[in-house]
Amino acid sequence: MSTSGYGFNAGLFKWLVDRINAALSVGKKKTETSLSILDIYGFECFKENSFEQLCINYANERLQQQFNKHLFKLEQEVYASEGVDWTTVEFEDNQECLDLIEARPPKSVGILSLLDEECMFPKATDSTFGAKLRENLHSNSRFRFDPKKPTDDFIVEHYAGPVTYTCTRFLDKNKDTLSSDLMEVMKGSGQGLMQQLASTVAAAQVSRSSQTVGTRFRDQLKDLITRLDQTALHFVRCVKPNAAQVPSTFDASLVLHQLRCCGVLEVTRIARAGYPTRYLHQEFADRYGILLTPKARGKS
């Protein structure tokens, strides 16, 4: 798909989301509460993976860390503060992979910051971008490439497994520039929605002229995580029973691999080691205080 197609798809998606939010805002104003559902497509690894797959897998990495933070670190802190006799469960932290993708100067550099830097050079190509990645990220244990193959491919070791990305069109997709002539044609369309989308996309191009797609995606993902930190989180993990997408077929090894990658097995270990059902002290006393002797109840 061309960058023009990406731009108008983004505009159409925003138009649709705005209409849905406007329809739902009535209930929110009455109750002053809201229920948000975040649906992430999931980890992607195809025969050929490009900029889109990197963004999707980056989002999965960040949400996996959020899952780890909520269900590992916070749970274990509760058990420690309550004095529960149990053994600390170790889990894999994917911060190194996140740094590989999102790190920015002066602290360090990552794939997205190097991509933005390369987009600033008029003569930059996909090959020069690939060379820059190999030069700057070769020491990161989550990044590798095959020096025997003269390609621009690179490999990222994600929490769910390695993915090979091709640098082809990374620069074009990150710039996301639209032809001014095409914009004028769309504005002259007889369809009102098309005119509205063209105006919206044109205004967005002006307001974010200094921002790339990767930078916007990183900032929006950061804002999403900030909002998630302010909510009461509940997770639903979807597991594929088989890769063939056929009914009544259960691939045990595939399912086990997904459960391990998602950290579900470790979460189960934590739940078994602690107490997943909890009461506040007063609620517990109100419910089970009747079991005490009259003398003990008087003291309490």
Side-chain angles (χ1 to χ4, degrees), residues 7-8 10-13 15 183 192-202:
F8 279 103
L12 181 59
F13 181 75
W15 173 84
M183 296 300 301
L193 176 59
M194 189 61 68
Q195 294 176 4
Q196 181 181 344
L197 288 178
S199 299
T200 301
V201 173

Side-chain angles (χ1 to χ4, degrees), residues 87-106:
T87 302
T88 300
V89 178
E90 299 295 334
F91 62 92
E92 182 178 355
D93 190 357
N94 63 341
Q95 185 59 51
E96 188 176 12
C97 185
L98 287 169
D99 291 339
L100 169 65
I101 299 173
E102 68 182 12
R104 290 186 287 184

